[in-house]
Amino acid sequence: TFTLLTSLLLSSLTSAVADPWRIVLVGDSRGSNNGVNTVILTEIAARIVTEQPELVLFPGDLVQGSSNTNTLISQLTTWRDTMQPVYGAGIGVLAIRGNHENLGSVTAWNTVFSGSYAMPANGPAGEVNVTFSLVHRNAFVVGLDEYSAHIHRVNQAWLDGQLATNTRPHVLVFGHEPAFKADHPDCLDDYPANRDALWASIAEAGGRIYGCGHDHFYDHARIDDQNGNPDDDLHQLIVG
């Protein structure tokens, strides 16, 4: 099994597996110290190390962002340096861009998240290092960039192909923006047909969690698919 470090226990993620493991899902750390809230992110990094998860999923808005490539590189480097205790503990860190990283060129992102800090290099053309999938033990994890080709939308054809090849029982997909609006009006529901296609593809593949940020609070929503069975509904976790 794996567990997420939130206030929620999801029974759909538990099974009789002798070797449980953890994922941390947390996002939106931008602030005033070179674009980063280093005070709080330092506390988060320390807590992550204490909890000893195997993966950290960070759904965007790491930094304040800038249209100047050098400034954005500097901000992202500050974020990476603040998270260094997590990297140093051997915990995998998977991050995607938010709208604030999208203020600048993807060159800045690829400069900072390269080498041992790079994301899995299996994304679609034009989205390598910002969209990706990863198999880890009994889970299939997908990070989606929602700004590369069409803002507030994802590369659905690539995602469909990835989900079709999955054989793991647990599917966890994360992106920056909520699929269903909670606060910010600019999110995936700007394009409801595309959002619905995304949601259906995750649910049909056995996914039970879509993690996101963008809104600056914690919110859990179970989206009822109206089939009378709450156990197969997909949950939206906002962890901004």
Side-chain angles (χ1 to χ4, degrees):
T1 65
F2 66 79
T3 60
L4 279 87
L5 299 182
T6 70
S7 61
L8 173 68
L9 295 178
L10 295 178
S11 60
S12 61
L13 298 182
T14 62
S15 59
V17 177
D19 188 18
W21 60 284
R22 283 175 157 179
I23 287 176
V24 167
L25 178 66
V26 59
D28 292 79
S29 56
R30 59 189 180 89
S32 58
N33 187 347
N34 196 26
V36 182
N37 187 336
T38 54
V39 173
I40 298 302
L41 187 60
T42 296
E43 295 180 5
I44 289 173
R47 181 60 183 270
I48 290 171
V49 172
T50 297
E51 296 287 352
Q52 284 295 295
E54 296 188 15
L55 292 177
V56 175
L57 310 183
F58 210 98
D61 278 7
L62 290 64
V63 301
Q64 188 66 29
S66 173
S67 61
N68 182 284
T69 298
N70 290 333
T71 299
L72 185 53
I73 288 173
S74 177
Q75 291 181 1
L76 290 170
T77 301
T78 294
W79 185 91
R80 196 185 69 185
D81 290 347
T82 307
M83 287 286 286
Q84 193 57 47
V86 179
Y87 289 105
I91 298 167
V93 178
L94 300 174
I96 57 168
R97 297 191 305 163
N99 56 298
H100 279 263
E101 285 79 38
N102 189 50
L103 294 173
S105 169
V106 73
T107 299
W109 180 273
N110 291 335
T111 297
V112 175
F113 295 110
S114 59
S116 63
Y117 298 101
M119 309 307 153
N122 59 355
E127 298 183 38
V128 174
N129 207 43
V130 294
T131 291
F132 49 82
S133 69
L134 174 76
V135 172
H136 185 83
R137 298 223 262 169
N138 59 346
F140 185 65
V141 180
V142 182
L144 295 174
D145 188 270
E146 296 163 347
Y147 306 97
S148 289
H150 303 287
I151 191 167
H152 310 311
R153 284 163 282 179
V154 305
N155 191 319
Q156 188 65 53
W158 177 86
L159 177 60
D160 289 343
Q162 293 290 300
L163 293 174
T165 65
N166 174 50
T167 60
R168 297 305 195 271
H170 298 305
V171 176
L172 194 154
V173 178
F174 70 110
H176 180 61
E177 296 181 351
F180 296 89
K181 181 176 77 71
D183 183 21
H184 280 81
D186 57 321
C187 60
L188 298 187
D189 75 355
D190 285 2
Y191 297 91
N194 299 82
R195 184 274 313 281
D196 290 349
L198 166 65
W199 205 253
S201 69
I202 299 171
E204 290 168 4
R208 295 296 174 263
I209 290 176
Y210 172 76
C212 55
H214 200 44
D215 295 332
H216 304 152
F217 46 66
Y218 172 78
D219 182 77
H220 167 222
R222 177 177 63 85
I223 310 304
D224 191 343
D225 62 10
Q226 303 296 311
N227 71 351
N229 178 16
D231 291 338
D232 66 0
D233 290 340
L234 184 54
H235 297 245
Q236 174 175 281
L237 294 179
I238 299 175
V239 291

